[in-house]
């Protein structure tokens, strides 16, 4: 599965789209994202009266839809029905968030069984037998489950689920178009509740309220008057997947949660006529007789989530694939779930505070603390720059630069594009477990979609010559012979202080490499921070045959036979390029069977991931990324593209001036590294 799949590889059913689209609902004109998606889809929105070659757009079966329907009938032009796609946003549209995609249907409304829609045509007649398509569907189902994604993904994963063994009854909002189209009302919902109790005697019943009801936007069909000792109304924001896991039965009229229940392994009892009913995956109280085809879960998902919607890429302002939308919502949901309770931050230098606020303070502003390390009042939590852990309350989340950081040095105050956040330890300290270690263990086995994504990422990184800092540099002529690259490090760096034992300096590293390889050509690459005079680690490199000042390390990796390192990230970057790596410390990538380890590697590292598994854990799962162009949390692929293209905002004048002063006073680092 290609991560950036062609959204039109499998064209939707229906006639060619009309160019001019006339609208009679103000939402089409006021919602910029909706207008943009329609524009990118080939539609030019208009007001006025349509001509014979035009079409009219209406929003589902909204209260204003009759205007457009009346004009279309009078003028004899087709109707295009538009709705939000099924991975929409963190919060409901009434909260002001734009959608990640639209359902643009030339036949009818997907939720209205009165006539077939484009979606029903796909479900009824598309072959849905393409292996690549079905693999994408299976991968999509697994990714949505792992990230706990649904239409509105703004809920806490820590919300406790009820004890298993209950029946789940799903409420919907009053006046919802899918409810009305199914001929349902409160009486139907009450009937469904009775069936749930009778068909599961003795089981508890949990009613799940709709997010819009919880927020007070629209009333639901159930209330506290419908509860008793057996029936509970659940109004707190909880993951639908968490509810599905403990349910012995799922009951719905026409909710999207019924659709999602199918992919969680349920066969929901359906009391309406939603698009997902009638294909052999539901128990239907009111069957749609024309739906006779039997589909697998993967086929239903492929049609409804991949082929039917028009997905939008918020980072590149273009139409995208289902996978693009999925990755976007995954990144945004992770950021919101981690950040919305609020953070109190310790150990953050002044110049870092703006980028940190951008990363972690979008939903609830960070508070930077200098005083005593007192735990913040819940729900706020504590974070600390990893090297300053002693300044924060015990258990504070540790923050560090990510592995694809920037185009320029952190020591030169270039803001980061990625940060790692660790609730167990920190990746460079092998003295205790880190969250990265847990991710590496988890990715010892990869699904096909994960394997494909990791391989595509490796190819993109190596093809573009990307690294942590992306400084570029010269590619000098090298002596002939067996070449060993020895990357220098900052000798007071935390990874050296915590992750090495006997070899703890650049001179000692060079001596060890020379002793083990007396006939090899030893190439020494000083660390950029050391070359810039900003950090400790200078050496005369007497055991090296050649010192490579300001050379591009990525260009060097293609011309050497091995890398010897203490804990340098260059060792990981060498693995991406299939260069053998010898470690004399315990970097995060050592101990997994991918390196020759001569240092003291923790015995707890027993998993045997492939290189792709290591890459997935290290670059996809562990860090958080922020797109410098859109300002949104983003997946790693967006940052890779920005770094490769060079389309990055320049650091502010203040940071550049401070960087110059930092260099001037490097010998008095205690003045500026407080």
């Amino acid at each position: 599965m290609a991560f950036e799949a062609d959204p039109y590889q499998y064209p939707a059913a229906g006639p060619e789209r009309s160019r001019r689209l006339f609208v009679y609902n103000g939402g089409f004109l006021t919602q910029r994202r909706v207008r943009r998606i329609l524009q990118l889809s080939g539609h030019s929105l208009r007001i006025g009266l349509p001509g014979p070659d035009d079409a009219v757009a209406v929003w589902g079966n909204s209260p204003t839809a009759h205007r457009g329907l009346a004009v279309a009938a009078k003028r004899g032009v087709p109707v295009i029905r538009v709705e939000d796609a099924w991975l929409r946003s963190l919060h409901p549209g009434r909260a002001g968030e734009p959608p990640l995609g639209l359902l643009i249907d030339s036949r009818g409304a997907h939720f209205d069984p009165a006539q077939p829609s484009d979606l029903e045509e796909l479900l009824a007649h598309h072959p849905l037998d393409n292996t690549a398509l079905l693999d994408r569907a299976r991968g999509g189902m697994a990714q949505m489950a792992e990230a706990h994604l649904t239409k509105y993904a703004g809920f806490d994963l820590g919300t406790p689920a009820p004890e298993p063994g209950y029946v789940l009854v799903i409420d919907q909002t009053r006046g919802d178009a899918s409810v009305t189209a199914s001929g349902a009302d409160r009486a139907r919902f009450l009937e469904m509740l009775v069936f749930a109790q009778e068909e599961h005697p003795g089981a508890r019943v949990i009613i799940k309220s709709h997010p819009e009801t919880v927020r007070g936007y629209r009333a639901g069909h159930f209330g506290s008057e419908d509860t008793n000792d057996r029936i509970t109304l659940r109004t707190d924001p909880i993951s639908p997947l968490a509810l599905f896991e403990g349910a012995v039965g799922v009951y719905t009229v026409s909710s999207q949660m019924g659709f999602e229940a199918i992919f969680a392994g349920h066969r929901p009892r359906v009391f309406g006529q939603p698009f997902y009913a009638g294909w052999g995956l539901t128990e239907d109280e009111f069957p749609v007789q024309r739906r006779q085809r039997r589909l697998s879960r993967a086929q239903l998902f492929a049609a409804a989530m991949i082929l039917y919607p028009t997905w939008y890429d918020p980072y590149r302002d273009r139409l995208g694939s289902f996978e693009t939308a999925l990755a976007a919502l995954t990144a945004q949901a992770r950021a919101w779930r981690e950040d919305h309770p609020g953070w109190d931050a310790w150990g953050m230098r002044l110049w870092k505070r703006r980028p940190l606020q951008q990363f972690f303070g979008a939903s609830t502003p960070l508070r930077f603390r200098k005083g005593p390390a007192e735990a913040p009042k819940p729900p706020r939590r504590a974070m600390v720059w990893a090297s300053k852990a002693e300044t924060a309350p015990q258990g504070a989340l540790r923050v560090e630069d990510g592995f694809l950081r920037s185009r320029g040095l952190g020591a030169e105050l270039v803001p980061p594009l990625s940060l790692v956040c660790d609730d167990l330890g920190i990746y460079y300290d092998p003295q205790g477990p880190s969250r990265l270690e847990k991710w590496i263990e988890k990715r010892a086995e990869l699904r096909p979609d994960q394997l494909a994504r990791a391989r595509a990422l490796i190819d993109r990184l190596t093809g573009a010559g990307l690294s942590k800092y992306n400084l570029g540099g010269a590619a000098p002529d090298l002596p002939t012979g067996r070449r060993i690259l020895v990357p220098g490090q900052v000798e007071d760096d935390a990874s050296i202080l915590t992750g090495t034992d006997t070899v703890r300096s650049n001179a000692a590293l060079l001596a060890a490499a020379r002793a083990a390889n007396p006939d090899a050509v030893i190439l020494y690459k000083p660390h950029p921070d050391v070359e810039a005079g900003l950090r400790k680690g200078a050496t005369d490199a007497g055991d090296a045959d050649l010192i490579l000042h300001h050379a591009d390390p990525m260009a060097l990796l293609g011309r050497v036979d091995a890398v010897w390192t203490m804990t340098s990230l260059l060792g990981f970057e060498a693995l991406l390029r299939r260069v053998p790596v010898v470690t004399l410390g315990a970097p995060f990538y050592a101990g997994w069977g991918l390196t020759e380890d001569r240092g003291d590697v923790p015995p707890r590292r027993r998993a045997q991931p492939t290189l792709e598994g290591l890459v997935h854990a290290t670059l996809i799962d562990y860090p958080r990324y922020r797109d410098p162009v859109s300002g949104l949390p983003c997946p790693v692929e967006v940052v890779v593209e920005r770094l490769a293209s060079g389309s990055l905002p320049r650091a502010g004048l203040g940071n550049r001036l401070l960087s110059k002063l930092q260099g001037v006073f490097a010998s008095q680092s205690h003045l500026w590294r407080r």
Side-chain angles (χ1 to χ4, degrees):
M1 180 196 78
F3 186 72
E4 281 291 336
D6 179 6
Y8 299 111
Q9 184 178 357
Y10 307 97
E16 292 293 323
R17 299 182 180 94
S18 174
R19 181 63 182 169
R20 298 205 311 170
L21 202 57
F22 285 78
V23 297
Y24 306 93
N25 178 335
F28 283 108
L29 303 176
T30 60
Q31 297 185 57
R32 295 178 59 187
R33 177 69 62 77
V34 171
R35 293 202 317 272
R36 183 59 175 155
I37 297 174
L38 289 170
Q39 181 187 40
L40 292 169
S41 302
H43 300 297
S44 177
L45 295 189
R46 295 285 192 272
I47 56 176
L49 294 175
D53 297 325
D54 302 322
V56 168
V58 300
W59 191 267
N61 282 347
S62 68
T64 61
H66 68 277
R67 304 172 188 165
L69 296 175
V71 173
K74 186 174 182 178
R75 306 287 290 190
V77 299
V79 174
I80 304 293
R81 297 197 184 251
V82 183
E83 273 277 354
D84 289 325
W86 289 299
L87 285 178
R88 189 196 184 282
S89 52
L90 291 173
H91 308 293
R94 286 178 170 81
E97 284 194 61
L100 275 170
L102 295 176
L103 309 176
I104 305 172
D105 202 304
S106 61
R107 281 187 171 87
H110 68 85
F111 53 77
D112 190 347
Q115 64 183 45
S117 62
D118 285 346
L119 175 56
E120 186 171 327
E121 287 294 310
L122 283 170
L123 293 167
H125 302 299
H126 194 288
L128 299 173
D129 60 357
N130 181 283
T131 300
L133 174 65
L134 296 180
D135 285 345
R136 291 175 64 192
R138 296 184 188 100
M141 287 188 284
Q143 290 177 58
M144 286 182 62
E146 186 173 57
H148 287 257
L149 296 185
T150 182
K151 187 173 185 177
Y152 309 121
F155 46 77
D156 289 312
L157 298 185
T159 303
E163 289 293 320
Y166 52 85
V167 182
L168 181 62
V169 175
I170 303 167
D171 196 9
Q172 294 174 252
T173 58
R174 297 191 186 190
D176 182 83
S178 73
V179 173
T180 303
S182 291
D185 53 14
R186 173 166 161 80
R188 180 79 61 84
F189 278 81
L190 292 174
E191 178 188 16
M192 176 173 66
L193 183 61
V194 171
F195 270 82
Q197 296 173 80
E198 292 181 346
E199 293 173 353
H200 297 272
R204 294 171 292 127
V205 178
I206 292 178
I207 301 172
K208 172 66 173 68
S209 290
H210 192 278
E212 290 191 351
T213 302
V214 174
R215 286 172 167 262
Y217 297 136
R218 292 196 288 177
H221 293 87
F222 295 113
S224 57
E225 66 275 12
D226 301 305
T227 64
N228 53 40
D229 291 342
R230 183 181 177 188
I231 302 171
T232 303
L233 183 65
R234 193 79 189 242
T235 60
D236 54 339
I238 185 173
S239 165
L241 185 66
L243 289 175
F244 294 146
E245 287 177 348
V248 297
V250 177
Y251 288 70
T252 184
V253 171
S254 58
S255 171
Q256 183 181 318
M257 275 189 67
F259 173 61
E260 294 165 352
I262 295 171
F263 308 115
H266 287 278
R267 189 179 180 89
R269 191 86 153 83
V270 179
F271 285 75
Q273 295 178 319
F275 72 89
Y276 53 86
W279 311 108
L281 298 169
T282 54
E283 294 289 341
D284 302 325
E285 189 69 13
F286 304 96
V288 181
Q289 295 301 325
R290 65 177 181 268
R291 299 177 186 173
Q292 297 295 321
R293 190 181 185 186
R294 294 296 175 261
L295 300 173
S296 68
R297 290 185 174 93
Q299 287 175 315
L300 175 64
F301 190 96
M305 298 297 288
I306 297 175
L307 303 185
Y308 181 53
T310 299
W311 296 108
Y312 176 73
D313 183 340
Y315 310 110
R316 304 169 183 89
D317 186 31
R318 67 189 188 199
L319 298 185
S321 64
F322 162 71
E323 289 82 3
T324 304
L326 180 63
L329 190 57
T330 300
Q332 293 171 31
R334 175 186 176 182
W336 183 88
R337 291 166 183 171
E338 292 179 359
D339 299 343
H340 82 94
W343 294 103
D344 285 7
W346 279 261
M348 309 300 182
R349 298 178 198 154
L350 287 175
W351 79 269
K352 292 180 179 179
R353 295 187 179 186
R354 184 171 182 271
L356 288 167
Q357 194 71 256
Q358 293 171 331
F359 259 91
F360 301 112
S363 52
T364 304
L366 267 74
R367 296 192 309 210
F368 296 101
R369 304 286 296 273
K370 291 184 177 180
E374 298 177 358
K377 294 181 179 179
R380 298 186 71 89
R381 294 175 291 171
M383 69 164 51
V384 63
W385 197 259
S387 61
K388 305 289 185 181
E390 72 281 357
T391 66
Q394 188 174 7
L397 179 137
R398 300 187 185 190
V399 179
E400 251 292 350
D401 287 330
F403 308 113
L404 292 169
R405 188 195 181 282
S406 52
R407 188 173 287 278
L409 298 174
E412 292 180 343
L413 312 190
V414 177
L417 301 178
S418 67
L419 293 167
V420 300
C421 316
D422 203 307
D423 60 332
L424 297 178
I426 192 63
Y427 72 89
Y428 59 71
D429 186 355
Q431 298 175 19
S434 68
R435 181 57 60 185
L436 177 55
E437 285 188 3
K438 300 299 182 183
W439 276 117
I440 294 171
E441 292 170 1
K442 186 174 182 177
R443 299 310 185 199
E445 298 290 335
L446 294 180
R447 302 188 308 267
D449 61 293
Q450 295 171 321
L451 180 63
R453 186 179 179 188
R455 283 178 176 170
L457 180 58
I458 293 170
D459 290 345
R460 188 75 173 97
L461 290 169
T462 56
L466 297 180
S467 64
K468 183 173 182 177
Y469 296 117
N470 304 288
L471 300 173
D477 294 331
L478 301 178
T480 58
R482 181 172 176 266
R483 302 167 182 149
I484 293 177
L485 178 62
V486 178
Q489 294 186 244
V490 176
E491 293 182 353
D492 60 354
D493 187 76
S495 72
I496 298 294
L497 300 178
T498 61
T500 58
D501 41 43
T502 56
V503 178
R504 308 187 64 138
S505 70
N506 292 319
L509 172 63
L510 282 165
R514 171 59 71 197
N517 304 276
D519 299 324
V521 177
I522 305 295
L523 307 173
Y524 179 64
K525 172 69 178 73
H527 192 280
D529 282 353
V530 176
E531 285 189 299
L534 301 174
R535 303 289 298 274
K536 178 183 177 182
T539 177
D540 62 7
D543 285 300
D545 294 294
L546 183 64
I547 301 175
L548 301 170
H549 292 289
H550 307 291
D552 181 2
M554 300 305 104
L556 294 173
L557 288 175
R559 303 169 63 189
V560 301
D561 299 287
V563 170
W564 278 58
T565 182
M566 292 180 284
T567 61
S568 173
L569 184 63
L570 193 65
F572 174 70
E573 294 164 338
L575 290 177
L576 300 185
R577 294 153 177 85
R578 309 289 178 174
V579 178
V581 176
V582 178
T583 66
L584 283 83
F588 69 87
Y589 51 85
W592 310 108
L594 300 171
T595 53
E596 180 185 335
D597 302 320
R598 301 191 178 196
D600 187 12
V601 177
R604 63 179 179 270
R605 297 182 183 177
R606 297 175 181 174
Q608 296 288 304
T610 62
L611 175 63
E612 290 83 2
L614 178 68
V615 167
H616 201 291
T618 304
L619 297 180
I620 296 174
D621 298 312
Y622 187 49
R624 280 178 49 173
Y625 299 92
R626 179 180 178 273
D627 177 22
V629 177
S630 67
L632 295 171
C634 67
V636 60
E637 290 81 3
V638 174
V639 163
V640 169
E641 184 175 310
R642 302 299 190 214
L643 289 171
S645 66
S647 56
L648 301 169
R650 289 174 59 86
L653 177 61
N655 272 9
R656 296 199 299 272
L657 291 175
L658 190 56
S659 172
K660 297 294 185 183
L661 289 172
Q662 175 176 306
V664 171
F665 292 104
S667 63
Q668 303 293 323
S669 63
H670 63 279
L671 298 177
W672 50 266
R673 292 184 64 83
R674 291 186 298 174

